[in-house]
Amino acid sequence: MAFDTHAAANPLAPEWLAVPGDANALHPGLWSRTVERRDGELVVGGVSAAELAARYGTPVYIVDEVDARERATEVRSALVGAFERVGGSAKVYYAGKAFLSIEVARWMSEAGLNIDVCSGGELAVAVAAGVAPERLGFHGNNKSLAEIDRAVSLGIGAIIIDSVQEIERVAEAAARHGRVQSVRLRVNSGVHAHTHAFLATAHEDQKFGIGLAAAADAAARIRSHASLNFLGLHCHIGSQIFGADGFAESAARLLAVHTELLAGGPVPELNLGGGFGIAYTSVDDPTPIEELAETIAQTVAAGCAELGIPLPVVAFEPGRAIIGRAGLTLYTAGTTKDVPVAFQDDGETAIRRYVSVDGGMSDNARLALYGADYSVRIAGRQSVAPAELVRIAGKHCESGDIVVDADYLPGDVAPGDLLAVPATGAYCWSLASNYNHVGRPAVIAVRDGASRVIVRGETEHDLLMRDAAYEGADA
Ligand code: PLP
């Protein structure tokens, strides 16, 4: 049955947000692939939102296992296939910073992906998942000596060197362990990309990597150590990128330096990082990964041909493009407030409905951190009530504690309604905090009508047990 909740546009809505014909509809680009409505209720992995909420409480992160596994395979095949078609090869790392648990590390590994970690903690998760150390890459602009030592002693596949000082640190650790450690050198190509725009500069003012102009000296220094094996350059140009232009520009800049470095010895690889974008709202339109992969592969192949150099193995580190859409967050609506907001100089107002939920910036910091947009739907039912503009606020003591800045929901949205926010699989749980002493929610995997906890939620007791003054604390 088709629902028509079409209503007049609210002047407070952002320009890009149209009033939906049906504010219950699940835009196919936003939700994981097993999400559907059954008898009006949102169902994911064959499990209804109400059942998930009743069993695990809200807020709760839900991960669609089929979606995550299939997307991992698709992203890998797209990149590997595109490079094979131009006579080369690609290596794909899952960027664990997007979301990492032992279970998810296993899904990625089983899909044939390597894993990129950027802290001792992420390394510990990947190792606990049984991922072979040689399939791991280790990032970070300030790895501790202990982290470097651990990575080297484990026999990690690659350490991404982020500074000149780190060359000596890794070389020393490798020599001490009697190993030859493979390393990449992280450089700034001067290209910054976000969504459809990219900015190219000669110099970068940022903490990661070293400038391209310094790459030759750094590579020579790496090569001067018998305990290091130089794999090649690494560059990550940004996140939530919708087109191939930024990658192409960055690859061109990197290949020029890569070619210079070939004069001093082999450079078997080139790592172009991650950053492939996903849709968070109905107007987001990322280029499909297959198309991006094709364009990047052809650009790199053409660049190498022009420079007269062999195609290196090209590595990628996608995170969000694999796990972002597999996740959704379920919340329960609490209070609602209709706030008159002036939208014109003469004081004319319109109503913005604030719907507060039982989570917020502690489980999704992305809007507070960088103004990210999200969408929302009522998950427990459908409604024919005319659509109203809503803002989904959290429960924290911070006016910037907003989860969804603007979307339309059926106007009868009310306390007790179960709400679902799609595309929260990446950088939500991994950025979660205990702000206001709120425990981080559980992560639940769903598949074929069954659900299970893959990361336990935190309780008040967990938090109190870390407080040294609490009786019986294990602090
Ligand atoms: N690689 C590096 C070095 C990164 O810094 C990041 C994200 O910050 C990624 C890969 C993953 O990016 P995304 O999840 O946008 O693909």
Side-chain angles (χ1 to χ4, degrees):
M1 169 174 160
F3 283 75
D4 182 2
T5 62
H6 206 282
N10 185 316
L12 299 173
E15 249 171 53
W16 57 264
L17 181 63
V19 187
D22 175 3
N24 305 286
L26 303 171
H27 188 282
L30 300 181
W31 300 84
S32 70
R33 57 192 61 181
T34 72
V35 166
E36 57 179 331
R37 283 204 189 267
R38 275 190 211 158
D39 299 327
E41 206 186 332
L42 188 145
V43 170
V44 53
V47 189
S48 77
E51 185 183 332
L52 290 165
R55 183 157 171 202
Y56 304 105
T58 58
V60 64
Y61 300 107
I62 309 297
V63 185
D64 181 340
E65 180 178 346
V66 167
D67 189 278
R69 284 181 183 270
E70 288 184 0
R71 227 173 278 279
T73 302
E74 288 161 11
V75 170
R76 181 179 175 278
S77 314
L79 291 161
V80 169
F83 276 87
E84 276 173 6
R85 282 188 287 283
V86 295
S89 64
K91 205 170 182 176
V92 185
Y93 289 78
Y94 168 66
K97 59 187 72 90
F99 176 87
L100 198 64
S101 73
I102 291 176
E103 179 92 21
V104 166
R106 288 185 180 143
W107 299 348
M108 297 303 136
S109 179
E110 284 164 20
L113 280 85
N114 305 293
I115 296 185
D116 140 26
V117 297
C118 66
S119 70
E122 287 183 4
L123 177 60
V125 175
V127 169
V131 181
E134 61 268 24
R135 292 179 59 198
L136 304 178
F138 192 15
H139 270 286
N141 67 301
N142 190 24
K143 304 170 194 79
S144 70
L145 294 179
E147 286 173 323
I148 291 171
D149 192 78
R150 179 147 178 237
V152 170
S153 68
L154 279 169
I156 201 160
I159 292 182
I160 296 83
I161 289 192
D162 200 274
S163 66
V164 172
Q165 288 154 343
E166 207 169 72
I167 297 172
E168 309 307 323
R169 293 173 187 166
V170 178
E172 189 279 322
R176 192 157 28 79
H177 287 284
R179 289 185 181 272
V180 175
Q181 177 61 55
S182 290
V183 298
R184 306 179 201 281
L185 177 63
R186 180 158 180 177
V187 293
N188 306 317
S189 64
V191 176
H192 288 277
H194 180 71
T195 312
H196 16 254
F198 80 85
L199 175 75
T201 58
H203 300 285
E204 287 209 58
D205 188 2
Q206 61 134 318
K207 70 170 186 170
F208 291 111
I210 62 168
L212 263 186
D217 282 350
R221 203 155 168 168
I222 290 171
R223 284 170 163 153
S224 74
H225 289 283
S227 61
L228 299 181
N229 170 41
F230 181 60
L231 290 178
L233 300 176
H234 171 286
C235 184
H236 172 76
I237 59 170
S239 286
Q240 189 54 358
I241 302 167
F242 284 4
D245 296 356
F247 288 105
E249 175 64 27
S250 180
R253 290 179 176 209
L254 293 172
L255 281 174
V257 178
H258 177 102
T259 307
E260 275 176 45
L261 299 181
L262 280 169
V267 191
E269 297 189 9
L270 175 68
N271 189 321
L272 296 178
F276 306 113
I278 63 169
Y280 287 100
T281 70
S282 55
V283 293
D284 286 341
D285 190 19
T287 309
I289 186 71
E290 293 74 13
E291 247 176 79
L292 282 177
E294 212 63 46
T295 311
I296 296 169
Q298 281 170 19
T299 307
V300 172
C304 288
E306 208 168 293
L307 291 159
I309 60 166
L311 251 180
V313 173
V314 181
F316 294 92
E317 300 165 342
R320 181 192 321 263
I322 292 172
I323 203 71
R325 257 176 75 180
L328 62 84
T329 308
L330 288 178
Y331 299 100
T332 303
T335 52
T336 59
K337 284 180 192 167
D338 284 354
V339 179
V341 178
F343 67 95
Q344 272 183 356
D345 290 347
D346 64 4
E348 198 175 338
T349 60
I351 297 295
R352 189 192 304 284
R353 179 167 300 170
Y354 278 81
V355 178
S356 291
V357 294
D358 49 357
M361 64 191 295
S362 58
D363 58 75
N364 187 347
R366 290 191 65 255
L367 187 145
L369 261 183
Y370 30 73
D373 282 314
Y374 278 94
S375 311
V376 63
R377 284 292 174 257
I378 297 178
R381 64 189 176 94
Q382 290 190 107
S383 164
V384 292
E388 298 276 359
L389 181 71
V390 296
R391 176 169 282 175
I392 308 300
K395 63 178 286 179
H396 295 284
C397 294
E398 195 75 51
S399 53
D401 171 29
I402 305 295
V403 178
V404 183
D405 177 59
D407 201 352
Y408 285 95
L409 282 184
D412 60 356
V413 59
D417 262 327
L418 206 49
L419 303 183
V421 174
T424 59
Y427 304 106
C428 288
W429 183 83
S430 55
L431 280 169
S433 77
N434 291 128
Y435 183 42
N436 293 146
H437 257 253
V438 167
R440 283 168 291 192
V443 185
I444 308 298
V446 289
R447 181 189 178 133
D448 301 332
S451 65
R452 65 191 196 286
V453 177
I454 60 169
V455 183
R456 181 173 70 76
E458 283 170 329
T459 61
E460 255 172 38
H461 181 70
D462 289 328
L463 302 188
L464 279 169
M465 287 299 279
R466 296 175 58 213
D467 187 323
Y470 184 64
E471 207 175 318
D474 50 23

